[in-house]
């Protein structure tokens, strides 16, 4: 799953409020289809496959024209894959005994932060028929805004995350 609990959500927390270390840290990120070797393999396959139809034209003016178009297509693939990588988009939730902080880093723009007392945090899993299935939201006491968590996760992953987060908040409020 594209999220990570530190320490695991089903263990006793190791953080220390005195040192400012959170009890739990939850990192969420979208799937990234081609990283490292996968990305370079896709580019090399495209390059090799693009050379096959232009090899018979070596030594002619058509070779250079076809090579130019192949390189334009290769550049377009490179740009599209890098753009879809979405390195910046991720979320982080830090949980202390006296506060919960959720920070969302969008693809563009400044990070968005939400903070509340964990005792008053209301966690909701909206399963109604709507645009998004198993939509997770958080709301604090007296806070007029409701924030979503893990919108880029699949519905099944959001359901599991909701269960994990419910257990963590219940353990914290004991």
């Amino acid at each position: 799953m594209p999220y990570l609990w530190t320490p695991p959500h089903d263990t006793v927390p190791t953080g220390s409020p005195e040192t400012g270390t959170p009890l739990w840290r939850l990192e969420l990120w979208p799937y990234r289809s081609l990283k490292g070797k996968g990305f370079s393999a896709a580019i090399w396959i495209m390059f090799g496959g693009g050379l096959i139809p232009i090899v018979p034209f070596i030594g002619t003016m058509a070779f250079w024209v076809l090579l130019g178009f192949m390189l334009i297509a290769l550049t377009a693939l490179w740009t599209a894959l890098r753009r879809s990588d979405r390195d910046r988009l991720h979320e982080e939730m830090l949980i202390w005994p006296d506060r919960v902080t959720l920070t969302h880093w969008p693809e563009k723009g400044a990070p968005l932060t939400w903070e509340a007392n964990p005792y008053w945090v209301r966690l909701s899993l909206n399963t109604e028929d709507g645009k998004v299935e198993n939509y997770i939201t958080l709301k604090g006491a007296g806070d007029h805004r409701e924030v979503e968590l893990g919108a880029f996760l699949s519905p099944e992953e959001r359901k599991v995350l909701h269960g994990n987060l419910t257990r963590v908040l219940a353990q914290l409020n004991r």
Side-chain angles (χ1 to χ4, degrees), residues 124-137 146 155 158:
S124 303
L125 180 66
N126 302 316
T127 56
E128 299 171 4
D129 294 333
K131 292 181 183 178
V132 181
E133 186 181 339
N134 295 337
Y135 187 73
I136 300 176
T137 59
E146 201 166 6
R158 285 192 295 265

Side-chain angles (χ1 to χ4, degrees), residues 111-123:
L112 306 169
T113 304
W114 175 84
E115 193 171 292
N117 186 319
Y119 184 80
W120 298 108
V121 169
R122 230 177 42 230
L123 181 65

Side-chain angles (χ1 to χ4, degrees), residues 2 10 12 15 64 97 100 128-129 142 148:
D10 54 356
V12 176
W64 296 107
V100 173
E128 299 171 4
D129 294 333
E148 70 177 293

Side-chain angles (χ1 to χ4, degrees), residues 6 8 10 29 42 83 91 98 100 102 107 139 144 171 174:
T6 309
D10 54 356
W29 59 89
R83 186 160 194 166
E91 294 176 347
D98 61 340
V100 173
L102 176 64
E107 292 178 60
K139 188 170 184 173
H144 296 290
Q171 184 178 353
R174 274 190 239 147

Side-chain angles (χ1 to χ4, degrees), residues 56-127:
F57 296 100
I58 292 178
T60 67
M61 186 60 161
F63 170 78
W64 296 107
V65 172
L66 292 172
L67 182 65
F69 282 114
M70 195 252 327
L71 291 176
I72 289 171
L74 189 64
T75 303
L77 176 66
W78 179 290
T79 304
L81 288 175
R82 280 294 160 218
R83 186 160 194 166
S84 71
D85 198 19
R86 297 163 41 158
D87 273 343
R88 284 201 62 217
L89 177 61
H90 67 282
E91 294 176 347
E92 178 184 59
M93 179 181 269
L94 301 174
I95 302 173
W96 288 274
D98 61 340
R99 75 179 187 277
V100 173
T101 304
L102 176 64
T103 307
H104 172 83
W105 286 271
E107 292 178 60
K108 295 178 182 174
L112 306 169
T113 304
W114 175 84
E115 193 171 292
N117 186 319
Y119 184 80
W120 298 108
V121 169
R122 230 177 42 230
L123 181 65
S124 303
L125 180 66
N126 302 316
T127 56

